[in-house]
Coordinates of all heavy atoms in Angstrom, one line a residue:
M30 N 120.4 197.5 -71.7 CA 120.9 197.3 -73.0 C 122.1 198.2 -73.2 O 122.1 199.3 -72.8 CB 119.8 197.7 -74.0 CG 120.3 197.6 -75.5 SD 119.0 198.0 -76.6 CE 117.9 196.6 -76.4
T31 N 123.2 197.6 -73.7 CA 124.4 198.4 -73.9 C 124.4 199.1 -75.2 O 123.7 198.7 -76.2 CB 125.6 197.5 -73.8 OG1 125.6 196.6 -74.8 CG2 125.7 196.8 -72.4
F32 N 125.2 200.2 -75.3 CA 125.3 200.9 -76.6 C 125.7 200.1 -77.7 O 125.2 200.2 -78.8 CB 126.2 202.1 -76.4 CG 126.2 203.1 -77.5 CD1 125.2 204.0 -77.6 CD2 127.2 203.0 -78.5 CE1 125.2 204.9 -78.7 CE2 127.2 203.8 -79.6 CZ 126.2 204.8 -79.7
G33 N 126.6 199.2 -77.5 CA 127.1 198.3 -78.6 C 126.1 197.4 -79.2 O 126.4 196.9 -80.3
N34 N 125.0 197.2 -78.6 CA 124.0 196.2 -79.2 C 123.0 196.9 -80.1 O 122.1 196.2 -80.6 CB 123.2 195.5 -78.0 CG 124.1 194.6 -77.2 OD1 125.1 194.1 -77.8 ND2 123.8 194.4 -76.0
W35 N 123.1 198.2 -80.3 CA 122.0 198.8 -81.1 C 121.8 198.3 -82.5 O 120.7 198.2 -83.0 CB 122.3 200.3 -81.2 CG 121.9 201.0 -79.9 CD1 122.8 201.5 -79.0 CD2 120.6 201.2 -79.4 NE1 122.1 202.0 -78.0 CE2 120.7 201.8 -78.2 CE3 119.3 200.8 -79.8 CZ2 119.7 202.1 -77.4 CZ3 118.3 201.1 -79.0 CH2 118.4 201.8 -77.8
Y36 N 122.9 197.9 -83.2 CA 122.7 197.5 -84.6 C 122.6 196.0 -84.7 O 122.6 195.5 -85.9 CB 123.9 198.0 -85.4 CG 123.9 199.5 -85.4 CD1 124.7 200.3 -84.7 CD2 122.9 200.2 -86.2 CE1 124.7 201.7 -84.7 CE2 122.8 201.6 -86.2 CZ 123.7 202.3 -85.5 OH 123.6 203.7 -85.5
N37 N 122.4 195.2 -83.7 CA 122.2 193.8 -83.8 C 120.8 193.5 -84.2 O 120.5 192.4 -84.7 CB 122.5 193.1 -82.5 CG 124.0 193.1 -82.2 OD1 124.8 193.3 -83.1 ND2 124.4 193.0 -80.9
T38 N 119.9 194.4 -83.9 CA 118.5 194.3 -84.2 C 118.0 195.5 -85.0 O 118.4 196.6 -84.6 CB 117.6 194.1 -82.9 OG1 118.2 193.0 -82.2 CG2 116.2 193.9 -83.2
L39 N 117.1 195.4 -86.0 CA 116.7 196.5 -86.7 C 115.5 197.2 -86.1 O 115.3 198.4 -86.3 CB 116.3 196.1 -88.1 CG 117.5 195.6 -89.0 CD1 117.0 195.2 -90.3 CD2 118.5 196.7 -89.1
E40 N 114.6 196.5 -85.4 CA 113.4 197.1 -84.8 C 113.4 196.8 -83.3 O 113.8 195.8 -82.8 CB 112.2 196.5 -85.5 CG 112.1 196.8 -86.9 CD 110.8 196.3 -87.6 OE1 110.0 195.6 -86.9 OE2 110.7 196.4 -88.8
Y41 N 112.8 197.8 -82.6 CA 112.7 197.8 -81.2 C 111.2 198.1 -80.8 O 110.5 198.8 -81.6 CB 113.6 198.8 -80.5 CG 115.0 198.5 -80.8 CD1 115.6 199.1 -82.0 CD2 115.8 197.7 -80.0 CE1 117.0 198.8 -82.3 CE2 117.1 197.4 -80.3 CZ 117.7 197.9 -81.4 OH 119.0 197.6 -81.7
Q42 N 110.8 197.6 -79.7 CA 109.4 197.9 -79.3 C 109.5 198.6 -77.9 O 110.2 198.2 -77.0 CB 108.6 196.6 -79.2 CG 107.2 196.8 -78.9 CD 106.4 195.5 -79.0 OE1 106.9 194.4 -78.7 NE2 105.1 195.6 -79.4
C43 N 108.7 199.6 -77.8 CA 108.6 200.4 -76.5 C 107.9 199.5 -75.5 O 106.9 199.0 -75.7 CB 107.8 201.7 -76.7 SG 108.5 202.8 -77.9
Q44 N 108.6 199.5 -74.3 CA 108.0 198.7 -73.2 C 107.3 199.7 -72.2 O 106.7 199.2 -71.2 CB 109.1 198.0 -72.4 CG 109.9 197.1 -73.4 CD 109.0 196.0 -74.0 OE1 108.3 195.2 -73.3 NE2 109.0 196.0 -75.3
A45 N 107.3 201.0 -72.4 CA 106.7 202.0 -71.6 C 106.5 203.2 -72.5 O 107.0 203.3 -73.6 CB 107.6 202.3 -70.4
N46 N 105.7 204.2 -72.0 CA 105.6 205.4 -72.8 C 106.9 206.2 -72.7 O 107.5 206.3 -71.6 CB 104.5 206.3 -72.2 CG 103.1 205.6 -72.3 OD1 102.9 204.8 -73.2 ND2 102.2 206.0 -71.4
I47 N 107.4 206.7 -73.8 CA 108.7 207.3 -73.9 C 108.6 208.7 -74.6 O 107.9 208.8 -75.6 CB 109.7 206.4 -74.7 CG1 109.8 205.0 -74.1 CG2 111.0 207.1 -74.8 CD1 110.6 204.0 -74.9
N48 N 109.3 209.6 -74.1 CA 109.4 210.9 -74.8 C 110.3 210.9 -75.9 O 111.4 210.3 -75.8 CB 109.8 212.0 -73.8 CG 108.8 212.3 -72.7 OD1 107.6 212.1 -72.9 ND2 109.2 212.9 -71.6
I49 N 109.9 211.5 -77.1 CA 110.8 211.6 -78.3 C 110.9 213.1 -78.5 O 110.0 213.8 -78.6 CB 110.1 210.9 -79.5 CG1 109.8 209.4 -79.1 CG2 110.9 211.0 -80.7 CD1 111.0 208.5 -78.9
Y50 N 112.2 213.5 -78.8 CA 112.5 214.9 -78.9 C 112.8 215.3 -80.3 O 113.1 214.4 -81.2 CB 113.7 215.2 -78.0 CG 113.4 215.0 -76.5 CD1 113.6 213.7 -75.9 CD2 112.8 216.0 -75.8 CE1 113.2 213.5 -74.6 CE2 112.4 215.8 -74.4 CZ 112.7 214.6 -73.9 OH 112.3 214.3 -72.5
D51 N 112.8 216.6 -80.6 CA 113.0 217.1 -81.9 C 114.5 217.3 -82.3 O 114.7 217.6 -83.5 CB 112.2 218.3 -82.2 CG 112.6 219.5 -81.4 OD1 113.5 219.4 -80.5 OD2 112.0 220.6 -81.6
S52 N 115.4 217.1 -81.4 CA 116.8 217.2 -81.8 C 117.6 216.4 -80.8 O 117.1 216.0 -79.7 CB 117.3 218.7 -81.7 OG 117.4 219.1 -80.4
D53 N 118.9 216.3 -81.0 CA 119.7 215.5 -80.1 C 120.0 216.2 -78.8 O 120.6 215.6 -77.9 CB 121.0 215.0 -80.8 CG 121.9 216.2 -81.3 OD1 121.4 217.4 -81.4 OD2 123.1 216.0 -81.6
K54 N 119.7 217.5 -78.7 CA 119.8 218.2 -77.5 C 118.7 217.8 -76.5 O 118.8 218.0 -75.3 CB 119.8 219.7 -77.7 CG 120.9 220.2 -78.5 CD 120.8 221.7 -78.8 CE 122.0 222.2 -79.5 NZ 121.7 222.7 -80.8
C55 N 117.6 217.2 -77.0 CA 116.5 216.7 -76.2 C 115.9 217.8 -75.3 O 115.6 217.6 -74.1 CB 116.9 215.5 -75.4 SG 117.5 214.2 -76.4
D56 N 115.8 219.0 -75.8 CA 115.3 220.1 -75.0 C 113.9 220.5 -75.4 O 113.3 221.4 -74.8 CB 116.2 221.3 -75.0 CG 116.5 221.8 -76.4 OD1 116.0 221.3 -77.4 OD2 117.3 222.7 -76.5
S57 N 113.4 219.9 -76.5 CA 112.0 220.2 -77.0 C 111.3 218.9 -77.4 O 111.8 218.2 -78.3 CB 112.1 221.2 -78.2 OG 110.8 221.5 -78.6
L58 N 110.2 218.6 -76.7 CA 109.4 217.4 -76.9 C 108.8 217.4 -78.3 O 108.1 218.4 -78.7 CB 108.4 217.2 -75.9 CG 107.6 216.0 -75.9 CD1 108.5 214.8 -75.5 CD2 106.4 216.0 -74.8
A59 N 109.0 216.4 -79.1 CA 108.4 216.3 -80.4 C 107.1 215.5 -80.3 O 106.1 215.8 -80.9 CB 109.3 215.6 -81.4
T60 N 107.1 214.4 -79.6 CA 106.0 213.5 -79.4 C 106.3 212.5 -78.3 O 107.3 212.5 -77.7 CB 105.6 212.8 -80.8 OG1 104.4 212.1 -80.7 CG2 106.7 211.7 -81.1
Q61 N 105.3 211.6 -78.1 CA 105.5 210.5 -77.1 C 105.2 209.2 -77.8 O 104.3 209.1 -78.6 CB 104.6 210.7 -75.9 CG 105.1 211.9 -75.1 CD 104.2 212.0 -73.8 OE1 103.0 211.9 -73.8 NE2 104.9 212.2 -72.7
A62 N 106.1 208.2 -77.5 CA 105.9 206.9 -78.1 C 105.1 206.1 -77.0 O 105.6 205.9 -75.9 CB 107.2 206.3 -78.4
A63 N 104.0 205.6 -77.4 CA 103.2 204.8 -76.5 C 103.8 203.4 -76.3 O 104.4 202.9 -77.3 CB 101.8 204.7 -76.9
S64 N 103.6 202.8 -75.2 CA 104.1 201.4 -75.0 C 103.5 200.5 -76.1 O 102.4 200.6 -76.5 CB 103.6 200.9 -73.6 OG 104.0 199.6 -73.4
G65 N 104.4 199.7 -76.7 CA 104.0 198.8 -77.8 C 104.3 199.3 -79.2 O 104.3 198.5 -80.1
R66 N 104.7 200.6 -79.3 CA 105.1 201.1 -80.6 C 106.4 200.6 -81.0 O 107.3 200.2 -80.2 CB 105.2 202.7 -80.6 CG 103.9 203.4 -80.3 CD 102.9 203.6 -81.4 NE 103.5 204.1 -82.6 CZ 103.5 205.4 -83.0 NH1 103.0 206.3 -82.1 NH2 103.9 205.8 -84.1
Y67 N 106.6 200.5 -82.3 CA 107.8 200.0 -82.9 C 108.7 201.2 -83.4 O 108.2 202.1 -84.0 CB 107.6 199.1 -84.1 CG 107.2 197.7 -83.8 CD1 105.9 197.4 -83.2 CD2 108.0 196.6 -84.1 CE1 105.6 196.1 -82.9 CE2 107.6 195.3 -83.8 CZ 106.4 195.1 -83.2 OH 106.0 193.8 -82.9
L68 N 110.0 201.1 -83.0 CA 111.0 202.1 -83.4 C 112.1 201.5 -84.2 O 112.4 200.3 -84.0 CB 111.6 202.8 -82.2 CG 110.7 203.6 -81.3 CD1 111.4 204.0 -80.0 CD2 110.1 204.7 -82.0
Q69 N 112.8 202.3 -85.0 CA 114.0 201.8 -85.6 C 115.1 202.9 -85.4 O 114.8 204.1 -85.5 CB 113.8 201.7 -87.1 CG 114.9 201.1 -87.9 CD 114.6 200.9 -89.3 OE1 113.8 201.6 -89.9 NE2 115.2 199.8 -89.9
I70 N 116.3 202.5 -85.0 CA 117.4 203.4 -84.9 C 117.9 203.8 -86.3 O 118.2 202.9 -87.1 CB 118.6 202.7 -84.1 CG1 118.1 202.2 -82.7 CG2 119.7 203.7 -83.9 CD1 117.5 203.1 -81.8
I71 N 118.0 205.1 -86.5 CA 118.4 205.5 -87.9 C 119.7 206.2 -87.8 O 120.4 206.4 -88.9 CB 117.3 206.2 -88.7 CG1 116.9 207.5 -87.9 CG2 116.2 205.3 -89.0 CD1 115.9 208.3 -88.7
Q72 N 120.1 206.7 -86.7 CA 121.4 207.4 -86.5 C 121.9 207.3 -85.1 O 121.1 207.5 -84.2 CB 121.3 208.9 -86.9 CG 122.6 209.6 -86.9 CD 122.5 211.1 -87.3 OE1 121.4 211.6 -87.4 NE2 123.6 211.7 -87.4
S73 N 123.1 207.0 -84.9 CA 123.7 206.9 -83.6 C 125.1 207.4 -83.6 O 125.9 207.1 -84.5 CB 123.7 205.4 -83.2 OG 124.3 205.2 -81.9
Q74 N 125.5 208.2 -82.6 CA 126.8 208.7 -82.4 C 127.3 208.3 -81.0 O 126.5 208.5 -80.1 CB 126.9 210.2 -82.6 CG 126.5 210.6 -84.0 CD 126.4 212.1 -84.2 OE1 126.5 212.9 -83.2 NE2 126.2 212.6 -85.4
E75 N 128.4 207.7 -80.9 CA 128.9 207.1 -79.7 C 128.9 208.1 -78.5 O 128.5 207.7 -77.4 CB 130.3 206.5 -79.9 CG 130.6 205.6 -78.7 CD 131.8 204.8 -79.1 OE1 132.0 204.4 -80.2 OE2 132.6 204.4 -78.1
K76 N 129.2 209.3 -78.7 CA 129.3 210.3 -77.6 C 128.1 211.1 -77.4 O 128.0 212.0 -76.6 CB 130.5 211.2 -77.7 CG 131.8 210.3 -77.6 CD 133.0 211.2 -77.6 CE 134.3 210.3 -77.6 NZ 135.4 210.9 -77.1
S77 N 127.0 210.9 -78.2 CA 125.8 211.7 -78.1 C 124.9 211.2 -76.9 O 125.0 210.0 -76.5 CB 125.0 211.5 -79.4 OG 123.8 212.2 -79.4
A78 N 124.1 212.1 -76.4 CA 123.2 211.8 -75.3 C 121.9 211.2 -75.8 O 121.0 210.9 -75.1 CB 122.9 213.0 -74.5
A79 N 121.8 211.1 -77.2 CA 120.5 210.5 -77.8 C 120.8 209.9 -79.1 O 121.9 210.1 -79.7 CB 119.6 211.7 -78.0
V80 N 119.9 209.0 -79.5 CA 120.0 208.4 -80.9 C 118.8 208.8 -81.7 O 117.7 209.1 -81.1 CB 120.0 206.9 -80.8 CG1 121.3 206.4 -80.1 CG2 118.8 206.3 -80.1
M81 N 118.9 209.0 -83.0 CA 117.8 209.3 -83.8 C 117.0 208.1 -84.2 O 117.6 207.0 -84.5 CB 118.3 210.0 -85.1 CG 117.2 210.5 -86.0 SD 117.8 211.4 -87.4 CE 116.6 212.7 -87.5
V82 N 115.7 208.1 -84.0 CA 114.9 207.0 -84.3 C 113.8 207.4 -85.2 O 113.6 208.6 -85.5 CB 114.2 206.5 -83.0 CG1 115.3 206.0 -82.0 CG2 113.3 207.5 -82.3
K83 N 113.0 206.4 -85.8 CA 111.8 206.7 -86.5 C 110.8 205.7 -86.1 O 111.1 204.6 -85.8 CB 112.0 206.8 -88.0 CG 112.3 205.4 -88.6 CD 112.4 205.5 -90.1 CE 112.6 204.2 -90.7 NZ 112.6 204.2 -92.2
F84 N 109.5 206.1 -86.1 CA 108.5 205.2 -85.8 C 108.3 204.3 -87.1 O 108.2 204.9 -88.2 CB 107.1 205.9 -85.5 CG 107.1 206.6 -84.2 CD1 107.4 208.0 -84.1 CD2 106.9 205.9 -83.0 CE1 107.4 208.6 -82.9 CE2 106.9 206.6 -81.8 CZ 107.2 207.9 -81.8
I85 N 108.2 203.0 -86.9 CA 108.0 202.2 -88.1 C 106.7 202.4 -88.8 O 106.7 202.4 -90.0 CB 108.1 200.7 -87.6 CG1 109.4 200.4 -87.0 CG2 107.8 199.7 -88.8 CD1 110.6 200.5 -87.8
E86 N 105.6 202.7 -88.1 CA 104.3 202.8 -88.7 C 104.3 204.0 -89.7 O 103.7 203.8 -90.8 CB 103.2 203.1 -87.6 CG 103.1 201.9 -86.7 CD 103.9 202.1 -85.4 OE1 104.9 202.7 -85.4 OE2 103.4 201.5 -84.4
E87 N 104.8 205.2 -89.4 CA 104.6 206.3 -90.2 C 105.9 207.0 -90.6 O 105.9 208.1 -91.2 CB 103.6 207.3 -89.7 CG 104.1 208.1 -88.5 CD 103.9 207.5 -87.2 OE1 103.3 206.4 -87.1 OE2 104.5 208.0 -86.2
E88 N 107.0 206.4 -90.2 CA 108.4 206.9 -90.5 C 108.6 208.3 -89.9 O 109.5 209.1 -90.4 CB 108.6 206.9 -92.0 CG 108.5 205.5 -92.6 CD 108.8 205.5 -94.1 OE1 109.3 206.5 -94.6 OE2 108.5 204.4 -94.6
Y89 N 107.9 208.7 -88.8 CA 108.1 209.9 -88.1 C 109.4 209.9 -87.3 O 109.6 209.0 -86.5 CB 106.9 210.2 -87.2 CG 107.0 211.5 -86.5 CD1 106.5 212.7 -87.2 CD2 107.5 211.7 -85.2 CE1 106.5 213.9 -86.5 CE2 107.5 212.9 -84.6 CZ 107.0 214.0 -85.3 OH 107.0 215.3 -84.7
P90 N 110.3 210.8 -87.6 CA 111.6 210.8 -86.9 C 111.6 211.6 -85.6 O 110.8 212.5 -85.4 CB 112.6 211.5 -87.9 CG 111.7 212.5 -88.6 CD 110.3 211.8 -88.6
G91 N 112.6 211.3 -84.7 CA 112.8 212.0 -83.5 C 114.0 211.5 -82.8 O 114.7 210.6 -83.3
W92 N 114.3 212.0 -81.6 CA 115.5 211.6 -80.8 C 115.1 210.9 -79.5 O 114.2 211.5 -78.8 CB 116.3 212.8 -80.6 CG 116.9 213.3 -81.9 CD1 116.3 214.2 -82.8 CD2 118.2 213.0 -82.4 NE1 117.2 214.4 -83.8 CE2 118.3 213.7 -83.6 CE3 119.2 212.2 -81.9 CZ2 119.5 213.6 -84.4 CZ3 120.4 212.1 -82.7 CH2 120.5 212.8 -83.9
L93 N 115.7 209.8 -79.2 CA 115.5 209.1 -78.0 C 116.7 209.3 -77.1 O 117.8 209.0 -77.5 CB 115.3 207.6 -78.3 CG 115.3 206.6 -77.2 CD1 114.0 206.8 -76.4 CD2 115.4 205.2 -77.7
V94 N 116.4 209.7 -75.9 CA 117.5 210.0 -74.9 C 118.1 208.6 -74.4 O 117.4 207.6 -74.2 CB 116.9 210.7 -73.6 CG1 118.0 210.9 -72.6 CG2 116.3 212.0 -74.0
N95 N 119.4 208.6 -74.4 CA 120.1 207.3 -74.0 C 119.6 206.8 -72.6 O 119.6 205.6 -72.4 CB 121.6 207.6 -73.9 CG 122.2 207.9 -75.2 OD1 121.5 207.8 -76.3 ND2 123.5 208.2 -75.2
T96 N 119.1 207.6 -71.7 CA 118.7 207.1 -70.4 C 117.4 206.3 -70.5 O 117.0 205.7 -69.6 CB 118.5 208.3 -69.4 OG1 117.6 209.2 -70.0 CG2 119.8 208.9 -69.1
N97 N 116.8 206.3 -71.7 CA 115.5 205.6 -71.9 C 115.8 204.3 -72.7 O 114.8 203.6 -73.0 CB 114.5 206.4 -72.7 CG 113.8 207.4 -71.8 OD1 113.7 207.2 -70.6 ND2 113.4 208.5 -72.4
F98 N 117.0 203.9 -72.8 CA 117.3 202.6 -73.5 C 116.7 201.4 -72.8 O 116.3 200.4 -73.4 CB 118.8 202.4 -73.6 CG 119.5 203.2 -74.6 CD1 120.9 203.2 -74.6 CD2 118.9 204.0 -75.5 CE1 121.6 204.0 -75.5 CE2 119.5 204.8 -76.4 CZ 120.9 204.8 -76.4
D99 N 116.5 201.5 -71.5 CA 116.0 200.4 -70.7 C 114.4 200.3 -70.9 O 113.8 199.3 -70.5 CB 116.2 200.6 -69.2 CG 115.6 201.8 -68.6 OD1 115.4 202.8 -69.4 OD2 115.4 201.8 -67.4
K100 N 113.8 201.3 -71.7 CA 112.4 201.2 -71.9 C 112.1 200.7 -73.3 O 110.9 200.7 -73.7 CB 111.8 202.6 -71.8 CG 111.9 203.1 -70.3 CD 111.3 204.5 -70.2 CE 111.5 205.0 -68.8 NZ 111.0 206.4 -68.7
I101 N 113.1 200.2 -74.0 CA 112.9 199.6 -75.3 C 113.6 198.2 -75.3 O 114.6 198.0 -74.6 CB 113.3 200.4 -76.5 CG1 114.8 200.6 -76.5 CG2 112.6 201.7 -76.6 CD1 115.3 201.3 -77.8
Q102 N 113.0 197.3 -76.1 CA 113.6 196.0 -76.2 C 113.6 195.6 -77.7 O 112.7 196.1 -78.5 CB 112.9 194.9 -75.4 CG 113.0 195.1 -73.9 CD 112.3 194.0 -73.2 OE1 111.6 193.2 -73.8 NE2 112.4 194.0 -71.9
S103 N 114.4 194.6 -78.1 CA 114.3 194.1 -79.4 C 112.9 193.6 -79.7 O 112.3 193.0 -78.8 CB 115.3 192.9 -79.6 OG 116.6 193.3 -79.4
A104 N 112.4 194.0 -80.8 CA 111.0 193.6 -81.1 C 110.9 192.1 -81.2 O 111.7 191.4 -81.9 CB 110.5 194.2 -82.4
P105 N 109.8 191.5 -80.6 CA 109.7 190.0 -80.7 C 109.3 189.5 -82.1 O 109.6 188.4 -82.4 CB 108.5 189.8 -79.7 CG 107.8 191.1 -79.6 CD 108.8 192.1 -79.9
T106 N 108.7 190.4 -82.9 CA 108.4 190.1 -84.3 C 108.7 191.3 -85.1 O 108.7 192.4 -84.6 CB 106.9 189.7 -84.4 OG1 106.1 190.8 -84.0 CG2 106.6 188.4 -83.6
V107 N 108.8 191.1 -86.4 CA 109.0 192.2 -87.3 C 107.6 192.9 -87.5 O 106.6 192.2 -87.6 CB 109.5 191.8 -88.6 CG1 109.6 192.9 -89.6 CG2 110.9 191.1 -88.5
F108 N 107.6 194.2 -87.5 CA 106.4 195.0 -87.7 C 105.8 194.6 -89.0 O 106.5 194.4 -90.0 CB 106.6 196.5 -87.7 CG 105.4 197.3 -87.6 CD1 104.7 197.4 -86.5 CD2 104.9 197.9 -88.8 CE1 103.5 198.2 -86.4 CE2 103.7 198.6 -88.8 CZ 103.0 198.7 -87.6
P109 N 104.5 194.3 -89.1 CA 103.9 193.9 -90.4 C 104.2 194.8 -91.5 O 104.2 196.0 -91.3 CB 102.4 193.9 -90.1 CG 102.3 193.8 -88.6 CD 103.5 194.5 -88.0
P110 N 104.5 194.3 -92.7 CA 104.8 195.1 -93.8 C 103.7 196.1 -94.1 O 102.5 195.8 -93.8 CB 104.9 194.2 -95.0 CG 105.2 192.9 -94.4 CD 104.5 192.9 -93.0
H111 N 104.0 197.3 -94.5 CA 103.0 198.3 -94.7 C 103.4 199.2 -95.8 O 104.5 199.2 -96.3 CB 102.8 199.1 -93.4 CG 104.0 199.9 -93.1 ND1 105.2 199.4 -92.6 CD2 104.2 201.3 -93.2 CE1 106.0 200.4 -92.4 NE2 105.5 201.5 -92.8
I112 N 102.5 200.0 -96.3 CA 102.8 201.1 -97.2 C 102.7 202.4 -96.4 O 101.7 202.7 -95.7 CB 101.7 201.1 -98.3 CG1 101.8 199.8 -99.1 CG2 101.9 202.3 -99.2 CD1 100.7 199.7 -100.2
S113 N 103.8 203.1 -96.4 CA 103.8 204.4 -95.7 C 102.9 205.4 -96.3 O 102.5 205.2 -97.5 CB 105.3 204.9 -95.6 OG 105.6 205.5 -96.9
F114 N 102.6 206.4 -95.6 CA 101.7 207.5 -96.1 C 102.4 208.0 -97.4 O 101.7 208.3 -98.4 CB 101.5 208.6 -95.1 CG 100.8 209.8 -95.7 CD1 99.5 209.8 -95.8 CD2 101.5 210.9 -96.0 CE1 98.8 210.9 -96.4 CE2 100.9 212.0 -96.5 CZ 99.5 212.0 -96.7
Y115 N 103.7 208.2 -97.4 CA 104.4 208.8 -98.5 C 104.3 207.9 -99.8 O 104.1 208.4 -100.9 CB 105.8 209.2 -98.2 CG 105.9 210.1 -97.0 CD1 106.2 209.6 -95.7 CD2 105.5 211.4 -97.1 CE1 106.3 210.5 -94.6 CE2 105.5 212.3 -96.0 CZ 105.9 211.8 -94.8 OH 105.9 212.6 -93.7
Q116 N 104.4 206.6 -99.6 CA 104.3 205.7 -100.7 C 102.9 205.7 -101.2 O 102.7 205.6 -102.4 CB 104.7 204.3 -100.2 CG 106.2 204.2 -99.9 CD 106.5 202.9 -99.2 OE1 105.8 202.4 -98.4 NE2 107.7 202.3 -99.5
F117 N 101.9 205.7 -100.3 CA 100.5 205.7 -100.7 C 100.2 207.0 -101.5 O 99.6 206.9 -102.6 CB 99.6 205.6 -99.4 CG 98.2 205.7 -99.7 CD1 97.5 204.5 -100.1 CD2 97.4 206.8 -99.5 CE1 96.2 204.5 -100.4 CE2 96.1 206.9 -99.8 CZ 95.4 205.7 -100.2
A118 N 100.6 208.1 -101.0 CA 100.3 209.4 -101.6 C 101.0 209.4 -103.0 O 100.4 209.9 -104.0 CB 100.8 210.5 -100.8
S119 N 102.2 209.0 -103.1 CA 102.9 209.1 -104.4 C 102.3 208.1 -105.4 O 102.4 208.3 -106.6 CB 104.4 208.8 -104.2 OG 104.7 207.5 -103.8
A120 N 101.7 207.0 -105.0 CA 101.1 206.1 -105.9 C 99.9 206.7 -106.6 O 99.6 206.3 -107.7 CB 100.7 204.8 -105.2
F121 N 99.3 207.7 -105.9 CA 98.1 208.3 -106.5 C 98.4 209.7 -107.0 O 97.5 210.4 -107.5 CB 97.0 208.3 -105.5 CG 96.4 207.0 -105.2 CD1 96.9 206.3 -104.1 CD2 95.5 206.4 -106.0 CE1 96.4 205.0 -103.8 CE2 95.1 205.1 -105.8 CZ 95.5 204.4 -104.7
A122 N 99.6 210.2 -106.9 CA 100.0 211.5 -107.4 C 99.9 211.6 -108.9 O 100.1 210.6 -109.6 CB 101.4 211.9 -106.9
K123 N 99.5 212.7 -109.4 CA 99.4 213.0 -110.8 C 100.8 213.0 -111.4 O 101.6 213.6 -110.9 CB 98.7 214.3 -111.1 CG 97.3 214.2 -111.6 CD 96.9 215.6 -111.9 CE 95.6 215.6 -112.7 NZ 95.1 216.9 -113.0
K124 N 100.9 212.3 -112.5 CA 102.2 212.3 -113.2 C 102.1 213.2 -114.4 O 101.2 213.1 -115.2 CB 102.6 210.9 -113.6 CG 102.9 210.0 -112.4 CD 103.5 208.7 -112.7 CE 103.6 208.0 -111.4 NZ 104.6 206.9 -111.5
T125 N 103.0 214.2 -114.5 CA 102.9 215.1 -115.6 C 104.0 214.9 -116.5 O 105.0 214.4 -116.3 CB 102.9 216.6 -115.1 OG1 104.1 216.8 -114.3 CG2 101.7 216.9 -114.3

């Protein structure tokens, strides 16, 4: 996948387990994305070694190393609509 194709699709699906880092320096592991998880690119800089992503399921952010682009593909279907944890919690929050 080339860098120029990132914004042609909104959602991507992991084709393998992928490391997700806590900054664009990619020197500290934040989590791992299991094969099959859905990601969305939320920030990209042309000369950066990584792009900022978030997991569609829970909106958890992290950084994907450019060398792992070959481990994601355009999602074959849109991730099913959902209510995020934050939306769920705010719906039941006390209003004062």
Side-chain angles (χ1 to χ4, degrees):
M30 178 177 292
T31 63
F32 187 82
N34 291 333
W35 282 111
Y36 294 106
N37 292 340
T38 303
L39 295 177
E40 296 182 2
Y41 298 89
Q42 190 172 30
C43 299
Q44 303 301 303
N46 296 336
I47 302 171
N48 290 336
I49 303 294
Y50 296 91
D51 65 355
S52 76
D53 61 345
K54 294 180 179 118
C55 300
D56 56 3
S57 181
L58 186 66
T60 190
Q61 291 183 314
S64 181
R66 297 283 306 269
Y67 280 68
L68 298 173
Q69 184 176 35
I70 307 299
I71 57 175
Q72 182 182 10
S73 177
Q74 297 175 351
E75 196 166 328
K76 295 185 181 201
S77 178
V80 294
M81 188 175 215
V82 299
K83 72 175 180 178
F84 291 100
I85 299 295
E86 297 94 332
E87 73 273 353
E88 300 182 13
Y89 185 83
W92 291 85
L93 172 68
V94 178
N95 293 355
T96 57
N97 283 331
F98 287 172
D99 63 335
K100 295 180 182 175
I101 64 172
Q102 291 183 354
S103 298
T106 60
V107 175
F108 189 79
H111 68 287
I112 296 175
S113 74
F114 172 78
Y115 303 105
Q116 292 167 325
F117 178 80
S119 65
F121 290 98
K123 255 185 168 176
K124 296 188 181 200
T125 57

